Amino acid sequence: MIYLDNAATSFPKPEPVYRTLDAFARTALANPGRSSHRMAKEAERAVDQARNAFNRFFGGAGPERWIFTLNGTDALNMAIKGVVGPGDHVITTDLEHNSVSRPLRALEKAGVITLTRVESEAGYVAPEAIRAALTPRTRLIAMTHAANALGTVQPIGEIGALARDADALMLVDAAQTAGVVEIDLKALPVDLLAFPGHKGLYGPTGTGCLYVGPRAVLRCWREGGTGGDSKSEVQPEELPYRLEGGTPNVLGIAGLAAGLAWVAERGAETNRVHEVGLLQRVVDWVDGSGDGWRVAGRWDPATHVGALSLIPPGLGEVPDLPQELATILDTSFEIAVRPGLHCAPYIHRRLGTFPDGTIRISPGPFNTIDEIEALVQALEQITATIA
Ligand SMILES: Cc1ncc(COP(=O)(O)O)c(C=O)c1O
C-alpha cells in the first residue's frame, strides 16, 4: 500500500515510536500519579517528561500548561467551551475543520455567542479580513494554522497580534502543522494551541494536546480523579489537573513523546520540505497534463504543508466522482488517498467543490518520489475512465 493519507493520521510511525509503545506496554503501563509503587512512578515520570518535552519544543510558558487530550477535537472543544461565555463574539474562518466549526455553530445556535465566519481567498485568510470582523465584544479568534482540505498555511502571527490588540484570545488549530511547521510560542501571539498527537507528531491515535497560555483561563472540562489532593470536593484549580480528570492515555503519551523526540531531532521544516517537494511533482503533472485536473486553492510551496487537494475533471457531472476515483486508486493501485469534504464543508462550498469534494493527497516523511510517480501514473490511467 502506498499510504498518502497522512493528513488524516500519519502512517507508518517512526521506529522509535513502535519500540517505545512495545517496551512501555510491557514494563511501565501503570496508573500515573495514582499509587506510590515504582511502576506508577515510572508512568508518572513518562507523562511529566512528555509535558516538559512539549514545553521545550514549542517554547511554552511552563510544562503544566500542556494538557493531554483524546485527540485534536477534544483539545479544541476544551479550549472553545472553556473560554467563551454568553454574549461573546467569536471570529472563525471558512477553512476550519468541523472540530472548530461545529462547537462554534452549536454555541451560536444555542444563542450563547455571535459568530463571524471570515472568508478566505484561494485558501488563505487575510489579516485585514479578520481586523474588519473584530468588535468590542470579540472574545476569541479560533482558526486553523493550515487548512486541512488544502494544506495552505495561515498568517497566525499577524492575526494573533490583532487578537492581542483587541484584548481577545487567539486559539490556533495546529492539527496540520504541529511537527511540520516551526511554532515558537515565545514569539507567536497565540493563547491556546490545540493539536492531535497522531498526525505530524507521530504518536498513536487517541492522543492530543492543548497548550493553555498565561492569558487564557479555562473553565473545568470534566471533573474526576487526578491522583493527588483527593480530599478536595471539587477539581483542583491548578494546571494540568484542572483540565485532566481521569486516567490519562499514558501508553499513547509515551509513544507521542517518542514521536516528538524524532521530529525534534530531524526538525519540523525537514518534514515539511520533504512533503511539499513530493507534492510539487503532482502539481507539475496537473499543470502539464491538459486533462482538466486542477489544484484546489493557491499552490505556494513556501506556505504549504504536505496536503494537496485535486479537483478531477468532471466533478459534479459524475456522481460521487472523488469517492469513485479514490476507490479505484485503493483497489486497483493500492494507493490510499482521502476523497470528499475532509470534515471542512465551508471551504468546499467556497471553492465550488461541495458536496462531492476533492481528492486529497498527503504524503509523509517516509514516502518516496517513486511512490509519487506511481500515483501520477495511476491518475493518468484513470483519467481515461472519467472521460
Ligand atoms: C485541521 C484539523 N483540525 C482538527 C482535526 C481533528 O483532529 P482529531 O481527528 O484528532 O480529533 C483534524 C483532523 O483531521 C484536522 O485536520
Side-chain angles (χ1 to χ4, degrees), residues 19-378:
R19 281 202 299 273
T20 301
L21 289 171
D22 185 65
F24 195 89
R26 290 173 196 279
T27 62
L29 195 44
N31 204 327
R34 266 56 171 186
S35 314
S36 55
H37 56 76
R38 262 175 300 159
M39 258 176 80
K41 287 215 165 99
E42 202 172 324
E44 192 174 353
R45 200 164 37 246
V47 176
D48 286 348
Q49 280 174 356
R51 267 192 242 284
N52 276 290
F54 272 103
N55 195 53
R56 275 195 307 277
F57 184 73
F58 289 110
E64 72 285 359
R65 296 185 168 280
W66 295 87
I67 313 301
F68 290 114
T69 63
L70 304 174
N71 46 41
T73 302
D74 195 35
L76 287 159
N77 273 267
M78 194 184 279
I80 291 169
K81 294 171 185 168
V83 295
V84 298
D88 284 343
H89 174 242
V90 178
I91 299 175
T92 190
T93 81
D94 64 3
L95 297 173
E96 306 309 316
H97 188 275
N98 273 335
S99 51
V100 171
S101 305
R102 284 183 173 166
L104 289 175
R105 179 72 184 118
L107 288 164
E108 185 190 32
K109 277 179 88 170
V112 179
I113 61 165
T114 54
L115 185 63
T116 303
R117 183 171 290 106
V118 167
E119 287 192 337
S120 55
E121 285 301 329
Y124 293 88
V125 172
E128 266 318 306
I130 299 280
R131 188 200 298 276
L134 285 164
T135 77
R137 297 206 71 111
T138 306
R139 167 84 180 127
L140 181 69
I141 299 174
M143 67 177 288
T144 194
H145 193 183
N148 69 308
L150 307 178
T152 47
V153 179
Q154 307 304 314
I156 56 159
E158 283 170 73
I159 295 173
L162 293 175
R164 289 276 150 101
D165 288 348
D167 205 18
L169 294 172
M170 177 75 177
L171 163 62
V172 171
D173 173 1
Q176 297 297 336
T177 55
V180 280
V181 174
E182 307 281 349
I183 297 175
D184 179 6
L185 292 168
K186 283 200 215 67
L188 279 174
V190 169
D191 301 298
L192 295 151
L193 186 78
F195 52 86
H198 59 89
K199 299 189 197 252
L201 292 164
Y202 305 101
T205 49
T207 57
C209 213
L210 175 67
Y211 170 74
V212 181
R215 292 175 76 239
V217 178
L218 267 66
R219 280 186 294 280
C220 182
W221 172 244
R222 70 173 96 77
E223 280 96 353
T226 58
D229 198 15
S230 295
K231 290 189 298 302
S232 169
E233 289 184 348
V234 293
Q235 201 69 10
E237 281 298 312
E238 72 270 17
L239 295 173
Y241 309 108
R242 182 174 172 72
L243 297 167
E244 267 188 7
T247 302
N249 176 7
V250 60
L251 177 62
I253 292 168
L256 173 57
L260 176 67
W262 185 81
V263 171
E265 205 183 315
R266 276 168 74 90
E269 182 67 3
T270 307
N271 288 341
R272 193 191 73 79
V273 166
H274 175 76
E275 291 160 21
V276 167
L278 294 178
L279 288 177
Q280 183 67 57
R281 171 68 185 103
V282 182
V283 174
D284 291 345
W285 172 74
V286 167
D287 288 348
S289 85
D291 283 331
W293 285 83
R294 283 176 297 140
V295 169
R298 190 168 71 241
W299 169 252
D300 169 12
T303 55
H304 233 272
V305 291
L308 181 76
S309 256
L310 297 184
I311 305 174
L315 183 76
E317 293 156 27
V318 182
D320 261 344
L321 184 59
Q323 182 62 58
E324 284 289 308
L325 298 180
T327 303
I328 298 171
L329 284 173
D330 179 26
T331 52
S332 303
F333 297 92
E334 295 197 30
I335 298 176
V337 297
R338 170 126 183 236
L341 297 175
H342 316 103
C343 304
Y346 296 96
I347 187 57
H348 283 285
R349 282 185 191 278
R350 175 96 177 114
L351 296 177
T353 47
F354 189 91
D356 291 343
T358 53
I359 296 179
R360 186 181 68 186
I361 320 286
S362 55
F366 303 110
N367 287 116
T368 63
I369 192 68
D370 289 346
E371 290 177 318
I372 297 296
E373 290 299 340
L375 168 74
V376 165
Q377 279 170 24

